[in-house]
Amino acid sequence: MSRVFGDLRQLGYVVRDVEAAMKYWIEVNGVGPFFYIEKVPLASFSYKGQPSKLEMSIALAFSGGAQVELIQQRNDAPSLYKDYIDAGQEGLQHIAYWPEDYQAAKRAAEAQGLKVGQEGDIAGRGGFIYYQTVGHHGTCIEFAEFNTYRQYQFAEMERVSRVWDGSDPIRTTLPAPPVD
């Protein structure tokens, strides 16, 4: 556990082919099922303070308490994902925390001198922010707003992974909180 940001919750991999990456994680590592979002519904996104029209696909699965996120950028919009691929890299690009107090975590990161690389909001799901980590090239720090929606969704994904029998390894419907 980080004494500053809380528990490390996610390992984020930027990949060139999300379908091939899911297949690898499923067949080689036995991790799944993956919850696949072919077109992430971004309400907003900015790269280094400037608006960007990012299009991306993500796949989420759990291995124990750690979430594995696979990200494929689908266009040439400026982003840290594009920077990573353009630098000839593919693989672990960020680690993520889901702080209970999103704003306090952001203030703590800024107090440490971390610089915002990109940030956005997924429509109906909440915000996220990536900090560039100068001095440890290649691994950014992400915070995801851990709101009620994500708390339910991620807990349900983790629960499903713990009883997964290998069937239906790629799912395109995300767990959604019950409607009151």
Side-chain angles (χ1 to χ4, degrees), residues 34 50 64 71-72 103 121 135 175:
F34 274 90
Q50 299 299 313
I71 303 162
Q72 179 181 349
Q103 297 304 323
D121 186 75

Side-chain angles (χ1 to χ4, degrees), residues 92-151:
L92 183 64
Q93 185 259 357
H94 71 268
I95 57 172
Y97 300 93
W98 305 335
E100 289 186 24
D101 187 335
Y102 186 64
Q103 297 304 323
K106 289 168 59 173
R107 287 190 299 274
E110 291 164 15
Q112 289 190 10
L114 297 177
K115 303 292 182 212
V116 175
Q118 65 186 28
E119 62 185 312
D121 186 75
I122 299 175
R125 296 186 182 122
F128 61 91
I129 188 165
Y130 284 64
Y131 292 94
Q132 297 175 287
T133 47
V134 179
H136 187 64
H137 180 71
T139 306
C140 300
I141 294 172
E142 178 194 13
F143 297 146
E145 188 176 9
F146 202 44
N147 55 28
T148 302
Y149 181 88
R150 281 191 176 133
Q151 289 171 18

Side-chain angles (χ1 to χ4, degrees), residues 26-84:
I26 291 162
E27 293 179 2
V28 175
N29 295 324
V31 171
F34 274 90
F35 293 86
Y36 178 52
I37 306 169
E38 187 173 6
K39 184 170 176 41
V40 175
L42 290 172
S44 65
F45 182 80
S46 65
Y47 168 75
K48 297 184 179 179
Q50 299 299 313
S52 180
K53 297 287 187 186
L54 175 69
E55 294 175 10
M56 67 177 178
S57 299
I58 65 170
L60 303 169
F62 275 83
S63 179
Q67 186 183 73
V68 174
E69 179 181 37
L70 307 173
I71 303 162
Q72 179 181 349
Q73 184 162 332
R74 298 291 188 169
N75 65 359
D76 288 331
S79 76
L80 293 179
Y81 312 130
K82 183 176 182 320
D83 292 350
Y84 196 72

